[in-house]
Amino acid sequence: GKRKATGNANNPNHDLCDFLMELADYERNVSKNVYKYNAYRKAAGTLSALTERVKSGEEAKKLPGIGVKIAKKIDEFLQTGKLQKLEDIKKDDINIAISLLARVSGIGPAKAKELVEAGIKTLEDLKKHQDKLTHHQKLGLKYFDDFEKKIPRAEIAQIEKILKNAIKELNSAYLITICGSYRRGKEESGDIDVLITHPDYISKVKNGKKKAVSLKTIIECLEKKKLITDTISLGSTKFMGICQLPEDKSKPFRRLDIRLTFHDQYYCAILYFTGSDLFNKNMRAHALEKKYTLNEYALKRLTIEGRPGEAEKITSEEDVFKFLGLPYKDPKDRNI
Ligand code: DCP
Ligand code: MG
Ligand code: MN
């Protein structure tokens, strides 16, 4: 909150008054200690009325409203030019503000720090400075409360049904899998991760057939069905956006990621987007030990020079495990 200025430049103790008022603010706003709040204010008031600079805590202690503790703080400030307690509070305050802003979808720690350094510390502040935000960040702010809510499994199942019906209406050959934590059997998820392919959509060969498959068309279809409500970003293979159950407007808005992948890369993609991220890390490390490189597109044997060779033919997740000499793990056993 705002606080009154303690005198002006003519006040020979204005720097002392300032730090006492900062402590007062902290006691009122954070500690909720009205007693200390009033004590600091009273001390600042006393100092602001003086016409001479205070020389020591000892001297200040003789004045009304200044006890041993405040006198010690005055000494520290006179000797070091700052107050460690206040420095710590400020650092805490800044870190808390950075953590809050970084919870907005699209705002990373660097951007959060930049905003806080510019004096933007709360979601209220952020609402007033939307010109500083990207499209993604604006949506993150708009749906802040909803995006903090986990998505129950049953709701994803409902969304899955609508999504699959709609896309298969476009073309019944589309293959659709919801991956992420949902596929790992979790009861709640942070977002919805959808993977789509089509048998005609393959990495190599003629562009002709690929044209029949379009992520943009799929997104437009899902917008028409009132499932997708906002687009964060849309490329030819990756959509990031927001959805809501069309039949129940009381349900929160949810983060939805959709990826269109080539049919011959579908199972590596499913493996990757099913996670968990740690499981993926371990599997990639294991692949390297076996002289393979694994990513969301392909599994490739490494040559003697350590370069990736041709992609192995993968037609199921099990294939990847087999190539790496690992026993197959069900998605629900990948929650590490
Ligand atoms: N992924 C990964 N490495 C990352 C990010 C993601 O391997 N740094 C993969 C594994 C994840 C999947 O992508 O399981 C989906 O990413 P999410 O961030 O959506 O994570 P989850 O779906 O696992 O969890 P949540 O319920 O929080 O969405
Ligand atoms: Mg997810
Ligand atoms: Mn995701």
Short mmCIF file of all heavy atoms in Angstrom, two decimals, residues 6 11 20 25 62 80 103 107 121 129 132 150 156-157 211-212 222 227 229 241 243 249 257 291-292 305 315:
data_model
loop_
_atom_site.label_atom_id
_atom_site.label_comp_id
_atom_site.label_asym_id
_atom_site.label_seq_id
_atom_site.Cartn_x
_atom_site.Cartn_y
_atom_site.Cartn_z
N THR A 6 7.68 11.03 4.51
CA THR A 6 8.07 11.55 5.83
C THR A 6 8.90 12.80 5.61
O THR A 6 10.12 12.75 5.51
CB THR A 6 8.88 10.51 6.60
OG1 THR A 6 9.84 9.96 5.71
CG2 THR A 6 8.00 9.44 7.16
N ASN A 11 14.35 17.59 5.77
CA ASN A 11 14.43 16.74 6.97
C ASN A 11 15.81 16.11 7.01
O ASN A 11 16.15 15.26 6.18
CB ASN A 11 13.32 15.69 6.86
CG ASN A 11 13.44 14.62 7.94
OD1 ASN A 11 14.32 14.68 8.80
ND2 ASN A 11 12.56 13.65 7.86
N LEU A 20 12.51 3.42 8.46
CA LEU A 20 11.52 3.09 9.50
C LEU A 20 10.12 2.93 8.89
O LEU A 20 9.37 2.03 9.28
CB LEU A 20 11.50 4.19 10.57
CG LEU A 20 12.74 4.22 11.47
CD1 LEU A 20 12.77 5.50 12.31
CD2 LEU A 20 12.80 2.98 12.38
N ASP A 25 5.60 -0.45 6.89
CA ASP A 25 4.81 -1.05 5.80
C ASP A 25 4.85 -2.56 5.86
O ASP A 25 3.84 -3.24 5.68
CB ASP A 25 5.40 -0.62 4.45
CG ASP A 25 4.83 0.71 4.02
OD1 ASP A 25 3.94 1.22 4.72
OD2 ASP A 25 5.29 1.24 2.98
N LYS A 62 16.78 8.68 23.52
CA LYS A 62 16.26 9.66 24.48
C LYS A 62 14.96 10.30 23.98
O LYS A 62 14.23 10.93 24.75
CB LYS A 62 17.30 10.76 24.72
CG LYS A 62 18.62 10.23 25.30
CD LYS A 62 19.49 11.36 25.78
CE LYS A 62 20.81 10.85 26.34
NZ LYS A 62 21.93 10.96 25.36
N THR A 80 26.32 1.42 8.46
CA THR A 80 26.48 0.64 7.22
C THR A 80 25.71 1.23 6.03
O THR A 80 25.90 0.77 4.90
CB THR A 80 26.00 -0.81 7.42
OG1 THR A 80 24.58 -0.78 7.61
CG2 THR A 80 26.66 -1.48 8.62
N ARG A 103 4.05 -18.08 -12.65
CA ARG A 103 2.96 -19.07 -12.73
C ARG A 103 1.99 -18.76 -13.86
O ARG A 103 1.16 -19.59 -14.21
CB ARG A 103 2.21 -19.11 -11.39
CG ARG A 103 2.85 -20.06 -10.38
CD ARG A 103 2.45 -19.78 -8.96
NE ARG A 103 1.02 -19.81 -8.74
CZ ARG A 103 0.43 -19.27 -7.64
NH1 ARG A 103 1.17 -18.71 -6.71
NH2 ARG A 103 -0.86 -19.34 -7.52
N ILE A 107 4.80 -16.89 -19.20
CA ILE A 107 5.81 -16.08 -18.52
C ILE A 107 6.82 -17.00 -17.86
O ILE A 107 6.48 -17.78 -16.98
CB ILE A 107 5.19 -15.14 -17.46
CG1 ILE A 107 4.24 -14.14 -18.13
CG2 ILE A 107 6.28 -14.39 -16.70
CD1 ILE A 107 3.65 -13.08 -17.19
N LYS A 121 4.41 -6.36 -9.79
CA LYS A 121 4.61 -7.42 -8.80
C LYS A 121 3.39 -8.28 -8.54
O LYS A 121 3.50 -9.34 -7.92
CB LYS A 121 5.05 -6.80 -7.47
CG LYS A 121 6.41 -6.16 -7.52
CD LYS A 121 6.83 -5.69 -6.14
CE LYS A 121 8.22 -5.09 -6.19
NZ LYS A 121 8.63 -4.61 -4.87
N HIS A 129 -0.77 -3.56 -17.19
CA HIS A 129 0.38 -3.40 -18.11
C HIS A 129 0.38 -4.48 -19.19
O HIS A 129 1.42 -5.04 -19.52
CB HIS A 129 1.69 -3.45 -17.33
CG HIS A 129 1.90 -2.26 -16.45
ND1 HIS A 129 1.50 -2.22 -15.15
CD2 HIS A 129 2.46 -1.05 -16.72
CE1 HIS A 129 1.81 -1.03 -14.64
NE2 HIS A 129 2.39 -0.31 -15.57
N LYS A 132 2.80 -4.93 -22.15
CA LYS A 132 4.12 -5.56 -21.99
C LYS A 132 4.06 -7.08 -22.22
O LYS A 132 5.07 -7.75 -22.10
CB LYS A 132 4.66 -5.31 -20.57
CG LYS A 132 5.08 -3.87 -20.32
CD LYS A 132 5.86 -3.77 -19.01
CE LYS A 132 6.59 -2.46 -18.84
NZ LYS A 132 5.71 -1.28 -18.75
N LYS A 150 -6.19 -28.56 -11.74
CA LYS A 150 -5.90 -29.82 -12.42
C LYS A 150 -7.15 -30.29 -13.17
O LYS A 150 -8.28 -29.96 -12.80
CB LYS A 150 -5.50 -30.88 -11.38
CG LYS A 150 -4.13 -30.59 -10.77
CD LYS A 150 -3.04 -31.08 -11.69
CE LYS A 150 -1.69 -31.09 -11.01
NZ LYS A 150 -0.66 -31.60 -11.92
N ILE A 156 -11.20 -35.22 -19.13
CA ILE A 156 -10.38 -35.44 -20.34
C ILE A 156 -11.03 -36.51 -21.21
O ILE A 156 -11.03 -36.41 -22.44
CB ILE A 156 -8.92 -35.82 -19.98
CG1 ILE A 156 -8.28 -34.70 -19.16
CG2 ILE A 156 -8.10 -36.08 -21.25
CD1 ILE A 156 -6.80 -34.85 -18.89
N ALA A 157 -11.60 -37.52 -20.56
CA ALA A 157 -12.27 -38.58 -21.33
C ALA A 157 -13.43 -38.00 -22.14
O ALA A 157 -13.65 -38.39 -23.30
CB ALA A 157 -12.76 -39.68 -20.39
N LYS A 211 -1.00 -32.95 -48.49
CA LYS A 211 -1.92 -31.81 -48.49
C LYS A 211 -3.31 -32.17 -48.00
O LYS A 211 -4.04 -31.32 -47.50
CB LYS A 211 -1.98 -31.20 -49.91
CG LYS A 211 -0.68 -30.49 -50.28
CD LYS A 211 -0.94 -29.23 -51.07
CE LYS A 211 0.33 -28.47 -51.41
NZ LYS A 211 0.89 -28.87 -52.71
N ALA A 212 -3.67 -33.44 -48.13
CA ALA A 212 -4.99 -33.87 -47.67
C ALA A 212 -5.11 -33.73 -46.15
O ALA A 212 -6.20 -33.67 -45.60
CB ALA A 212 -5.24 -35.31 -48.08
N LEU A 222 -12.54 -27.99 -34.75
CA LEU A 222 -12.73 -28.05 -33.29
C LEU A 222 -13.24 -26.72 -32.74
O LEU A 222 -13.92 -26.68 -31.71
CB LEU A 222 -11.43 -28.47 -32.59
CG LEU A 222 -10.95 -29.89 -32.95
CD1 LEU A 222 -9.58 -30.16 -32.32
CD2 LEU A 222 -11.97 -30.96 -32.53
N LEU A 227 -15.24 -26.57 -29.03
CA LEU A 227 -14.33 -27.20 -28.08
C LEU A 227 -13.12 -26.28 -27.85
O LEU A 227 -12.79 -25.95 -26.72
CB LEU A 227 -13.87 -28.57 -28.58
CG LEU A 227 -12.95 -29.34 -27.63
CD1 LEU A 227 -13.70 -29.78 -26.39
CD2 LEU A 227 -12.32 -30.56 -28.32
N THR A 229 -11.48 -22.77 -27.71
CA THR A 229 -11.98 -21.40 -27.49
C THR A 229 -10.94 -20.34 -27.87
O THR A 229 -11.31 -19.22 -28.20
CB THR A 229 -12.33 -21.20 -26.01
OG1 THR A 229 -11.17 -21.41 -25.21
CG2 THR A 229 -13.43 -22.17 -25.57
N GLY A 241 -3.22 -24.14 -27.44
CA GLY A 241 -4.42 -23.35 -27.26
C GLY A 241 -5.20 -23.71 -26.03
O GLY A 241 -4.66 -24.28 -25.07
N CYS A 243 -9.18 -24.97 -24.48
CA CYS A 243 -10.47 -25.59 -24.77
C CYS A 243 -11.35 -25.59 -23.53
O CYS A 243 -10.89 -25.33 -22.41
CB CYS A 243 -10.27 -27.02 -25.28
SG CYS A 243 -9.70 -28.18 -24.02
N LYS A 249 -20.52 -25.03 -19.65
CA LYS A 249 -19.77 -23.77 -19.58
C LYS A 249 -19.31 -23.44 -18.16
O LYS A 249 -18.59 -22.47 -17.95
CB LYS A 249 -20.63 -22.61 -20.12
CG LYS A 249 -20.97 -22.74 -21.59
CD LYS A 249 -19.79 -22.32 -22.47
CE LYS A 249 -20.08 -22.54 -23.95
NZ LYS A 249 -18.92 -23.04 -24.67
N ASP A 257 -2.73 -28.98 -26.04
CA ASP A 257 -1.64 -29.03 -27.03
C ASP A 257 -1.97 -30.11 -28.05
O ASP A 257 -2.33 -31.22 -27.66
CB ASP A 257 -0.30 -29.40 -26.35
CG ASP A 257 0.26 -28.26 -25.52
OD1 ASP A 257 -0.05 -27.10 -25.83
OD2 ASP A 257 1.02 -28.54 -24.57
N LYS A 291 24.20 -47.49 -28.23
CA LYS A 291 24.61 -46.90 -29.51
C LYS A 291 23.43 -46.58 -30.42
O LYS A 291 23.44 -46.79 -31.63
CB LYS A 291 25.59 -47.83 -30.25
CG LYS A 291 26.85 -48.14 -29.47
CD LYS A 291 27.91 -47.05 -29.69
CE LYS A 291 29.20 -47.35 -28.96
NZ LYS A 291 29.08 -47.10 -27.48
N TYR A 292 22.38 -46.05 -29.78
CA TYR A 292 21.24 -45.55 -30.53
C TYR A 292 20.98 -44.11 -30.12
O TYR A 292 21.35 -43.70 -29.02
CB TYR A 292 19.97 -46.35 -30.20
CG TYR A 292 19.81 -47.64 -30.95
CD1 TYR A 292 20.16 -48.85 -30.36
CD2 TYR A 292 19.29 -47.65 -32.24
CE1 TYR A 292 20.00 -50.06 -31.03
CE2 TYR A 292 19.13 -48.85 -32.93
CZ TYR A 292 19.48 -50.05 -32.33
OH TYR A 292 19.31 -51.22 -33.00
N GLU A 305 31.45 -43.64 -36.17
CA GLU A 305 31.88 -42.26 -35.97
C GLU A 305 30.92 -41.52 -35.02
O GLU A 305 31.13 -40.34 -34.72
CB GLU A 305 31.94 -41.49 -37.30
CG GLU A 305 32.80 -42.14 -38.38
CD GLU A 305 32.02 -43.13 -39.23
OE1 GLU A 305 31.05 -42.70 -39.90
OE2 GLU A 305 32.35 -44.34 -39.23
N THR A 315 6.83 -49.59 -35.70
CA THR A 315 5.38 -49.59 -35.94
C THR A 315 4.59 -49.78 -34.64
O THR A 315 3.38 -50.00 -34.68
CB THR A 315 4.98 -50.69 -36.96
OG1 THR A 315 5.41 -51.95 -36.42
CG2 THR A 315 5.63 -50.46 -38.31
#
